Amino acid sequence: MEQEVRVEDDEGAPAGPVEGATATGVAMREPSWRPSPKARVLWAVSAALMWLPLVVAQVVWVLVAPVGAGWHIAAAAATVVLGGLHVAVVPVWRYRVHRWEMDETAVYTRSGWWTQEHRIAPISRIQTVDTERGPLDRWLDLTTVTVTTASAAGAVEIVGLDSRVADETVARLTALAALSETDAT
């Protein structure tokens, strides 16, 4: 499995492979906190919704062209097998891989399920901290926290947090960023 690691210095430039601390004093490490267990349900429902158009198309196909039952059965079987695997495996795998953590110096994330990405966002580089809750998130009381930095690599996302944990995380990150003596631009 491929793993991509991005560590940046205060100027947003790659700091290179790191054994200890980077130029910002932030050390690469594995984050230890998991998303909410309810994130597995979110990912399973999202995966099932991806397969819904194909199921609808197959139902329409059966209604419009009822001849050729062999093709209908083969297509339905393939959809059930592939869709079932996607709905059953992806949420479990993502839950095993996704991690996050924060301390007084940085936010650490690991995400992905095929290609894994490790990201560190130094607190001194934080520009904004946002939350996002779609309809499924609201149903499950989950929130995604997005930490935007002055990095060309883009924002760091912490997905699948309980809303209470997300609110506490946003408050803590905002307070830590306000205490930072450097400008995050």
Side-chain angles (χ1 to χ4, degrees), residues 118-183:
H118 293 250
R119 299 278 308 273
I120 297 176
I123 297 295
S124 63
R125 304 295 289 162
I126 292 177
Q127 292 180 326
T128 62
V129 181
D130 304 305
T131 61
E132 181 182 351
R133 299 181 76 204
L136 292 175
D137 297 302
R138 287 192 302 272
W139 174 58
L140 294 166
D141 195 32
L142 296 174
T143 302
T144 296
V145 174
T146 303
V147 180
T148 306
T149 65
S151 167
V156 174
E157 283 192 341
I158 307 169
V159 297
L161 296 182
D162 282 316
S163 292
R164 180 189 56 76
V165 172
D167 292 342
E168 291 170 2
T169 300
V170 168
R172 183 159 183 239
L173 285 173
T174 303
L176 287 170
L179 293 174
S180 179
E181 296 177 10
T182 60
D183 184 14

Side-chain angles (χ1 to χ4, degrees), residues 51-98:
W51 287 93
L52 189 60
L54 183 58
V55 170
V56 169
Q58 288 178 349
V59 169
V60 170
W61 182 28
V62 167
L63 295 175
V64 171
V67 293
W71 287 107
H72 295 302
I73 292 170
T79 300
V80 167
V81 169
L82 295 174
L85 282 171
H86 187 202
V87 170
V89 172
V90 169
V92 173
W93 185 260
R94 285 184 73 179
Y95 188 74
R96 289 183 62 180
V97 171
H98 279 67

